[in-house]
Amino acid sequence: MTSVPGPNGGKPIVALGEIKKTYVMGGHGGKKDTTGPVIVHALRGVTVDFYPGEYVAIMGSSGSGKSTMLNLLGCLDRPTSGQYVLGDQDISRLDDNELSEIRSRYIGFIFQSYNLIQQYTVLENIELPLTYQGNGSISQADRERAMQLARMVGLGDRTDHRPNQLSGGQQQRVAIARSLINDPYIILADEATGNLDSVTSAEIMAMLERLNDSGKTIIMVTHEDDIAAHAKRIIRMKDGMIVEDGPSARMRRLLDEQGANGPSLEDDEVARRVALALDASGTVE
Amino acid sequence: MGRMWRSLKLGLKSLILHKLRSSLTILGIVFGVAAVIAMLAIGEGSKRDAQERFQQLGATNIIYRSVKPTEENQASGGGGRMILNYGLKYSDLDRLLATVPTIKKALPIREVRKEIRFLNRRIDGRVVGTTADYADFNYLKLARGRFLKESDNENFENYAVLASEVAQTLFPYEDPLNKSVRIGMDFYKVIGVTQERAGTAAIGGSLAAQEYNKDVYIPLNTCRLRFGERIIENRSGSRSAEETQLTQITMQVGSIEEVRPSADVIKAAIHPFHTKKKDVDIVVPLQLIEEAERTARIWSAVLASIAAISLLVGGIGIMNIMLATVTERTREIGIRRALGAKRRDITEQFLIESVVLSGVGGIIGVLFGVGLPFIIDQVLHAMRTAITPSSILVSFCISVAVGVLFGLYPARRAALMDPIDALRHE
C-alpha cells in the first residue's frame, strides 16, 4: 500500500474528479418488461476535494445523491466514470478485494443504526476491522489500543458487554471507537445521530467534534440542519450535483475569531490540532 | 490463524445461540454418522463371525468327504439287495500322499453312528476312527487324560477318547478315565475326555453341521478292524447295505498360497477314480472364507450406502439452515464487508460455521455409533459387532466433508451479496 503525505501536506486526502454514477433499474428484458431499462443518474459529475482535518456535512433531500456519494467515498461502490483519489492512490478502478483492503485500512464507518455485531463483545466489535487486515491476528498492542479507544469513548468498564446490553448512545460510542481502530484517513458518518434522542445526539456530536479537533477528517451525511451546523464545511446536493459548498456558520465564526484570511489560517489551525492529536487519542474525552 | 480461530468460536457461539435449531439441524448428521458406524460394525461383526467359523476348518486345509450318491447316481441300482459301495478309499489316501508333495499332513476319518454304553447308561453318538492329528485339526482341547497317539493306531489299541457330553452322560458321578465303555460288541478303555467345543454350522451341501460333543474317538485301525467297511441296516423288510472305507480326508498344506494349486492337483488325483458316481466332494475352507468376505463386503456396502443417504439428507438440512442463517444475518455480512471483510473472509466464516454444525453432529454421531453396536452386542447379545477405528475416522471425515459441501453454496451466496444492499437489509 502506498503511503500518503501527512494530514497537513496541503494536498487533498480525498479528490473526486467528475464522478458519475448511473444505475440501471429493471431492463431485465423479460416478457412483462414493457418500459425497458430505466437509467438513474445518481451522480452527474461531482468534483470535490477534502483536505486533512476537515469536518464536512453533506446535505440533501432523499434522492439527491448524498447516499451514493457516501457509498463511493466509503469504497463500497465504484463510480461509473470519473476519478477517486484517496491519499495518493487512484481507487476508482480497483477490484472488490482491493476495495475491501482499502476499507479495512483507510476508512472508518459510523452508521445510523450503529451496526455492531450482536454476538461480539464491545472489545471484539472495536477490534473487528483489524481482523480483516493482513493475517487477521490481533496483537497485544492492538488489544491495548482497542482498550484505550473503549476508555476514550467512556466504555472502559464495559468492554465485555454485548451490544444489546448497551443503550443506543453507548452503542454509537462503540461504533465510533471501532471507526478509529484502524487510524483511518477519513471517518464517514451516515446519519450518526438519526436513531438517538437530542441529549444523546449532542453527546455524540460533541465526541465527533473532539475527534475533528484532534485532527481526524470527518465526512458526515445528514438531512438535519442543526446536526450539519456542527461541521465546518457544508456541501448541499441536489439531483446528483453539488449545488452549494462552503464554510458553515460555525466555521465562519471560527474564522472571524481568528480575524485573518481563511485558507492559511485553517491550515494553521489544523496543524496545531494535529500536533495535539498525535499524543491525544487516549485523552480526547 | 487468528481469524480462523475467531470464526470457529463464532460458529460455536451461533450454534449455542440457536440451540433448538442447531440441534435439529445436526440430528440428520448425527443419525447419518451413527448409522454408518453401526452398520459397518454389524457388517464387520458378521464378517468376522463367518471368518472365524471357516477359520476353524483351517484356512490351509483341503477337505474331501464321502457323499452318499443320490438314487439316480447309484450306478448299480439293483434294488435293496445290492451293497452300495461309495466314498473315499484307503487307496485314495495313499495315492494322495504319494502324488501331492504339498500335503504336509493328511487326516483320515471314518465315522460310524453307534450306541455307546457304560453299565446301564447309554448314548447315541458318533464313533470317529481317526489318528493322533485329529485334535490339532479340529482344535479339540482335552479336559482330562490324553488324546490318541500314533502308537495307539499302530497297535490297534482299544482306546477311546470321549467328548464332553458323552462323558457326562455315561459317567455322571465317577471318573471316566480307565473305565471301559462298550461300543457295539467291544469294550474300549477311556484314556481321555475332551473339553466342550461349539459345533460348526453346515457349509453348503458338502459339509454337514458338526457336533463335537457326542463323539467318541478311537484309533482308525481299531475302527477298521472292529466295524469293518460294511454297514448293514435292517429296515422293515428291506435290507440296505453300504460299504465305505473313509468318511473324510482332511489335508493340510504349508501355506495359504499353496491351497489353490494343491486343491487342483488333489482333485486331479481323486476324481478319475470317482467318475461313475458322484460320491466324493471337495471343500476348500479358504474359498469359503473368501466367499464369506466377499458377501460381507457387499453387505457392508449396502448398509453403508443406506447410511450415506441419511448423511445426504443431513447435509441438505445443513444447507437449508445455512441459507436461512445467511439471510438472517445479511446485515451482519454488510457490516463485515463495510469494515473490510473480503468475499473470501465471508465465505470462510460461513463455511466454518456449517463445518462446525456438521462436525459437532459428527462427534455426537460417533458417540452414538460406537454406543449402539456395543448395546446390540454386549447388552442385548443380539448380534456380533466389531467397530473398526477406520470406520469412525471415515464417517467423521464424511460428516466434515458434508459440512463443506453443503455449506459452500450458502457461504458463496453470502459472500456475493452487495455490501450496500446487505447494509440496508432490515
Side-chain angles (χ1 to χ4, degrees):
Chain A
M1 222 36 75
T2 47
S3 65
V4 286
N8 198 25
K11 223 178 123 189
I13 197 157
V14 170
L16 299 184
E18 270 303 305
I19 292 280
K20 287 182 183 160
K21 180 71 189 177
T22 54
Y23 296 105
V24 181
M25 311 277 277
H28 45 77
K31 264 185 192 165
K32 288 174 186 166
D33 184 19
T34 51
T35 53
V38 177
I39 296 171
V40 178
H41 296 276
L43 291 179
R44 297 163 184 268
V46 172
T47 302
V48 65
D49 291 343
F50 299 108
Y51 290 89
E54 274 200 302
Y55 187 3
V56 188
I58 298 174
M59 299 198 65
S61 55
S62 70
S64 62
K66 64 180 196 300
S67 293
T68 308
M69 178 92 159
L70 194 81
N71 289 337
L72 286 170
L73 284 171
C75 300
L76 289 167
D77 209 349
R78 271 171 295 187
T80 312
S81 68
Q83 202 185 34
Y84 174 9
V85 177
L86 178 68
D88 53 6
Q89 191 179 11
D90 183 359
I91 60 167
S92 34
R93 295 290 171 266
L94 295 185
D95 70 15
D96 192 84
N97 265 349
E98 291 164 321
L99 283 183
S100 301
E101 191 70 32
I102 298 279
R103 287 198 296 272
S104 77
R105 290 185 189 276
Y106 304 121
I107 313 271
F109 279 103
I110 303 169
F111 300 96
Q112 178 174 3
S113 44
Y114 329 130
N115 279 348
L116 301 178
I117 302 225
Q118 296 298 321
Q119 304 95 305
Y120 283 175
T121 62
V122 166
L123 198 65
E124 286 169 330
N125 264 295
I126 294 174
E127 288 168 349
L128 188 60
L130 296 182
T131 64
Y132 294 120
Q133 290 179 4
N135 69 1
S137 57
I138 306 277
S139 68
Q140 197 54 44
D142 292 336
R143 177 131 305 170
E144 280 300 313
R145 185 168 155 69
M147 282 299 294
Q148 200 180 33
L149 285 169
R151 278 196 295 274
M152 187 199 91
V153 297
L155 293 168
D157 53 344
R158 289 169 194 241
T159 49
D160 54 350
H161 285 221
R162 306 212 177 261
N164 57 13
Q165 295 167 303
L166 301 175
S167 71
Q170 288 170 325
Q171 289 191 51
Q172 195 61 298
R173 273 144 64 188
V174 176
I176 290 173
R178 181 179 67 186
S179 75
L180 293 168
I181 188 79
N182 53 358
D183 199 12
Y185 289 170
I186 50 173
I187 293 170
L188 297 172
D190 185 5
E191 305 275 11
T193 57
N195 285 5
L196 299 172
D197 61 59
S198 56
V199 177
T200 324
S201 291
E203 267 175 42
I204 296 296
M205 291 320 291
M207 193 170 278
L208 289 180
E209 210 171 302
R210 279 199 302 276
L211 283 177
N212 178 243
D213 288 347
S214 71
K216 295 286 172 201
T217 312
I218 299 174
I219 301 170
M220 66 177 179
V221 164
T222 182
H223 61 270
E224 291 177 63
D225 287 315
D226 53 335
I227 295 298
H230 289 270
K232 292 177 186 163
R233 176 181 171 192
I234 295 178
I235 292 174
R236 283 183 201 279
M237 295 189 69
K238 198 181 174 191
D239 299 330
M241 311 265 274
I242 292 176
V243 292
E244 195 188 318
D245 183 359
S248 65
R250 174 175 166 244
M251 189 63 193
R252 284 199 200 93
R253 258 199 322 279
L254 281 170
L255 290 176
D256 289 345
E257 279 166 25
Q258 300 293 328
N261 50 345
S264 64
L265 180 129
E266 194 188 34
D267 281 354
D268 284 349
E269 184 193 273
V270 166
R272 183 175 58 82
R273 288 181 177 165
V274 164
L276 264 176
L278 284 177
D279 59 343
S281 61
T283 56
V284 170
E285 178 85 0
Chain B
M1 275 304 278
R3 192 160 38 201
M4 276 293 236
W5 176 239
R6 271 168 172 263
S7 296
L8 205 68
K9 242 169 55 181
L10 183 72
L12 277 169
K13 256 188 215 170
S14 60
L15 200 133
I16 293 162
L17 201 67
H18 306 282
K19 281 190 200 72
L20 182 65
R21 189 164 91 177
S22 307
S23 42
L24 287 176
T25 307
I26 63 175
L27 266 189
I29 298 294
V30 170
F31 287 146
V33 169
V36 168
I37 295 176
M39 300 254 177
L40 286 177
I42 289 169
E44 183 69 21
S46 56
K47 179 172 131 191
R48 285 193 194 170
D49 229 18
Q51 263 178 350
E52 244 164 55
R53 241 172 33 212
F54 297 132
Q55 214 89 53
Q56 286 176 339
L57 293 171
T60 53
N61 286 359
I62 296 162
I63 300 168
Y64 245 108
R65 274 188 80 80
S66 300
V67 180
K68 191 173 176 179
T70 50
E71 293 292 327
E72 60 265 29
N73 277 336
Q74 290 173 10
S76 50
R81 292 212 309 279
M82 295 294 289
I83 294 165
L84 180 61
N85 186 329
Y86 72 93
L88 296 160
K89 304 280 182 274
Y90 287 102
S91 58
D92 289 328
L93 177 63
D94 294 340
R95 193 173 339 104
L96 282 173
L97 289 173
T99 54
V100 188
T102 47
I103 296 173
K104 288 268 173 314
K105 275 185 197 170
L107 177 75
I109 298 168
R110 166 95 162 106
E111 293 165 3
V112 189
R113 298 211 73 84
K114 285 277 178 196
E115 191 182 63
I116 304 131
R117 289 170 162 229
F118 178 73
L119 300 177
N120 61 339
R121 293 187 281 271
R122 62 184 70 185
I123 181 169
D124 268 325
R126 187 173 65 161
V127 177
V128 180
T130 187
T131 57
D133 293 331
Y134 189 90
D136 289 340
F137 270 82
N138 289 286
Y139 304 95
L140 285 178
K141 289 195 187 75
L142 285 200
R144 325 241 357 233
R146 63 167 178 89
F147 200 71
L148 303 170
K149 281 199 297 198
E150 211 51 58
S151 58
D152 300 338
N153 196 30
E154 281 161 20
N155 300 333
F156 296 80
E157 298 283 6
N158 275 9
Y159 285 164
V161 174
L162 305 185
S164 59
E165 198 179 326
V166 177
Q168 263 166 31
T169 312
L170 299 186
F171 302 96
Y173 310 118
E174 56 264 77
D175 181 4
L177 286 189
N178 297 320
K179 302 276 190 319
S180 286
V181 293
R182 198 179 114 184
I183 304 171
M185 301 306 290
D186 307 295
F187 288 92
Y188 296 81
K189 192 167 111 185
V190 177
I191 56 165
V193 177
T194 65
Q195 280 178 10
E196 213 171 271
R197 183 190 187 282
T200 57
I203 297 156
S206 47
L207 204 55
Q210 292 236 40
E211 239 248 274
Y212 291 91
N213 294 335
K214 285 186 176 179
D215 285 352
V216 174
Y217 307 101
I218 61 172
L220 181 65
N221 283 342
T222 315
C223 181
R224 193 179 182 186
L225 188 72
R226 302 289 174 201
F227 301 112
E229 286 152 10
R230 284 182 195 174
I231 293 165
I232 298 163
E233 262 181 80
N234 287 308
R235 223 187 294 146
S236 59
S238 82
R239 217 164 84 157
S240 71
E242 292 176 13
E243 187 175 311
T244 181
Q245 293 187 346
L246 286 172
T247 317
Q248 180 178 324
I249 302 173
T250 305
M251 287 148 282
Q252 196 173 58
V253 296
S255 67
I256 299 245
E257 288 71 42
E258 286 174 6
V259 170
R260 273 170 199 286
S262 302
D264 292 338
V265 176
I266 289 166
K267 258 188 218 166
I270 295 277
H271 278 222
F273 300 87
H274 295 271
T275 45
K276 275 189 280 180
K277 0 171 209 184
K278 289 185 173 172
D279 61 349
V280 291
D281 201 355
I282 189 167
V283 177
V284 184
L286 182 68
Q287 283 175 354
L288 295 172
I289 292 168
E290 283 169 352
E291 215 161 279
E293 276 174 358
R294 204 157 36 242
T295 316
R297 257 203 304 280
I298 294 168
W299 183 227
S300 292
V302 169
L303 290 177
S305 47
I306 292 170
I309 289 172
S310 155
L311 270 175
L312 181 78
V313 173
I316 293 170
I318 284 193
M319 177 135 102
N320 192 15
I321 220 69
M322 284 311 293
L323 282 173
T325 304
V326 165
T327 308
E328 219 170 61
R329 286 161 61 185
T330 301
R331 185 67 168 271
E332 181 193 319
I333 294 162
I335 299 169
R336 288 176 184 276
R337 293 283 278 134
L339 298 182
K342 297 182 182 63
R343 289 195 169 134
R344 189 169 27 114
D345 297 323
I346 302 293
T347 309
E348 190 186 284
Q349 181 192 336
F350 283 95
L351 212 51
I352 285 176
E353 265 181 55
S354 73
V355 169
V356 164
L357 266 181
S358 68
V360 169
I363 290 168
I364 298 173
V366 164
L367 295 180
F368 274 111
V370 171
L372 203 65
F374 181 80
I375 290 170
I376 290 175
D377 194 349
Q378 302 295 315
V379 182
L380 301 176
H381 297 289
M383 214 183 276
R384 188 169 160 194
T385 61
I387 297 161
T388 53
S390 66
S391 76
I392 293 175
L393 197 72
V394 163
S395 53
F396 179 72
C397 288
I398 288 176
S399 77
V400 171
V402 162
V404 173
L405 198 69
F406 289 90
L408 209 55
Y409 174 66
R412 206 61 206 136
R413 207 157 117 155
L416 290 176
M417 279 181 186
D418 179 44
I420 299 171
D421 291 342
L423 269 173
R424 231 182 268 140
H425 191 267
E426 287 305 323

